[in-house]
Amino acid sequence: MSQDVTLAVENLKKSIKRKEIIKNISFKLHKGEVFGFLGPNGAGKTTTIRMLVGLIKPSSGRITICGKDLQKNFSAAIRHIGCIVENPELYTYLSGRENLEYFLRMLKGVPESRIDETVKLVRLENRINDKVSTYSLGMKQRLGIAQALLSNPEVLILDEPTNGLDPMGIREMREFIRFLAEKEGLTVLVSSHLLSEIQLMCDRVAIMSKGKILKVDSVSSLLTEKERVVWHAEPVDRARKVLSERAEILPDAAGRLVTANDGDISKWNKALVEEGIEVKGIDVKLPSLEDLFIELTEGESID
């Protein structure tokens, strides 16, 4: 295994009552990267994450964390992971520090000084002695991350870390996650339905649908892989019919007439004009991650 690979998933499968939920997926995470995990409800993201953190066992396949096999050497492997699956479990009637002290008692060999280190890391120094019931949602999320970081893991798994946050809170969380990866060297796996945030936050993404991983690549590579042509033409239904006979019509989140750019724009434009269709504009652009997601999942919603 490459030295900078912190988590590797190989041929992972999960069946429940003879129904295959996770279908032979593989991917690797590297030190210091933010990795996005995308998919509509029912795609298998949460089931996969639960297998990664040892909450459920895979039917077959292998999970390796920092070189340790999760199935064969659970204790040695799982100590390298910190996670928040769904919402952080916090005692709101206790202070932030009391919460961390409580969770620290469950960890073997972690000094109490680690509390102050994580508090500083998540920037809660000024409020750590206040009751959690007085915290904003963003502060509770950061306290949950501090809890996950107590064991000083190499891999941090966050399931919907921006869920319920306002725009400012989302931005702060994005910047904080980038900080953990770039300055602290953590591997951060982020599961989210906010595609625009994933596009801004992540180095690489895996797009999942119906238990399969459709694509794993850097965000930049995914977006530059296929240019899109947006046609502004009237009447649009006739234009769609003419283009569909010559080009690949792509799904579009905004309902526009969009084709893949195969280098024949001038020929397609000529065909439209010859059919009496008025072409008012042609825009060649890169897709957004949302466009690509809709295309790969054949229009499935991520909500």
Side-chain angles (χ1 to χ4, degrees):
M1 182 182 293
S2 174
Q3 191 174 1
D4 73 339
V5 173
T6 51
L7 188 150
V9 173
E10 302 171 62
N11 305 317
L12 199 65
K13 296 181 181 180
K14 180 64 180 178
S15 297
I16 299 175
K17 295 181 179 178
R18 298 184 180 179
K19 182 180 180 182
E20 196 173 38
I21 307 297
I22 304 300
K23 304 171 183 178
N24 199 39
I25 66 172
S26 299
F27 59 90
K28 293 179 180 179
L29 274 59
H30 299 91
K31 180 179 173 63
E33 77 168 336
V34 181
F35 186 90
F37 207 38
L38 301 175
N41 279 345
K45 302 190 309 297
T46 300
T47 299
T48 301
I49 287 174
R50 288 181 177 276
M51 286 191 282
L52 295 182
V53 300
L55 293 177
I56 58 176
K57 291 183 178 180
S59 300
S60 64
R62 188 176 184 221
I63 300 169
T64 308
I65 306 166
C66 295
K68 308 294 183 183
D69 189 300
L70 185 64
Q71 282 70 49
K72 295 178 180 177
N73 197 347
F74 181 84
S75 296
I78 205 67
R79 71 181 182 85
H80 295 287
I81 276 193
C83 69
I84 301 177
V85 180
E86 297 171 353
N87 297 315
E89 297 292 333
L90 302 170
Y91 297 102
T92 57
Y93 59 88
L94 299 177
S95 70
R97 180 174 294 278
E98 288 168 335
N99 268 272
L100 295 180
E101 288 171 346
Y102 176 82
F103 288 108
L104 185 72
R105 288 195 287 269
M106 302 181 194
L107 303 172
K108 293 182 180 179
V110 180
E112 194 167 343
S113 60
R114 181 61 183 162
I115 290 179
D116 290 326
E117 291 174 7
T118 57
V119 168
K120 185 177 180 180
L121 201 58
V122 302
R123 303 162 192 165
L124 277 177
E125 303 101 306
N126 295 332
R127 296 292 306 275
I128 196 61
N129 293 313
D130 296 343
K131 284 189 177 181
V132 173
S133 59
T134 67
Y135 284 12
S136 67
L137 184 56
M139 291 170 64
K140 289 176 182 176
Q141 289 283 48
R142 280 188 280 152
L143 182 63
I145 292 174
Q147 172 194 322
L149 293 175
L150 280 176
S151 62
N152 203 17
E154 280 87 350
V155 181
L156 180 63
I157 296 179
L158 303 175
D159 190 10
E160 296 285 357
T162 59
N163 205 18
L165 298 181
D166 60 23
M168 181 60 71
I170 290 172
R171 179 178 178 179
E172 289 176 354
M173 183 60 66
R174 181 213 315 155
E175 292 174 349
F176 176 58
I177 289 170
R178 289 299 324 170
F179 166 80
L180 291 177
E182 294 171 3
K183 303 300 183 183
E184 298 297 314
L186 265 73
T187 302
V188 187
L189 184 151
V190 180
S191 168
S192 179
H193 70 282
L194 295 177
L195 295 178
S196 58
E197 278 306 307
I198 288 291
Q199 188 168 338
L200 291 170
M201 186 191 305
C202 296
D203 302 297
R204 291 191 302 139
V205 296
I207 297 177
M208 194 170 191
S209 178
K210 300 174 183 177
K212 297 179 181 179
I213 288 185
L214 305 179
K215 201 89 172 176
V216 179
D217 210 336
S218 68
V219 173
S220 59
S221 294
L222 285 172
L223 298 184
T224 57
E225 184 178 273
K226 185 182 285 187
E227 282 188 331
R228 304 164 71 85
V229 184
V230 180
W231 298 85
H232 305 278
E234 292 184 355
V236 68
D237 289 341
R238 283 180 57 205
R240 187 181 302 276
K241 183 177 184 300
V242 170
L243 288 173
S244 66
E245 294 169 354
R246 296 164 174 80
E248 179 188 0
I249 304 293
L250 300 177
D252 182 71
R256 298 167 299 183
L257 177 55
V258 179
T259 63
N261 184 6
D262 293 332
D264 287 330
I265 296 175
S266 60
K267 291 181 182 178
W268 300 335
N269 182 50
K270 182 180 178 182
L272 290 171
V273 173
E274 287 176 349
E275 291 291 332
I277 295 166
E278 183 180 3
V279 180
K280 295 186 173 182
I282 304 170
D283 296 326
V284 180
K285 59 189 296 186
L286 294 176
S288 68
L289 194 55
E290 183 178 14
D291 294 328
L292 187 66
F293 179 88
I294 291 171
E295 183 181 333
L296 289 173
T297 62
E298 299 178 345
E300 282 186 88
S301 170
I302 199 164
D303 296 321

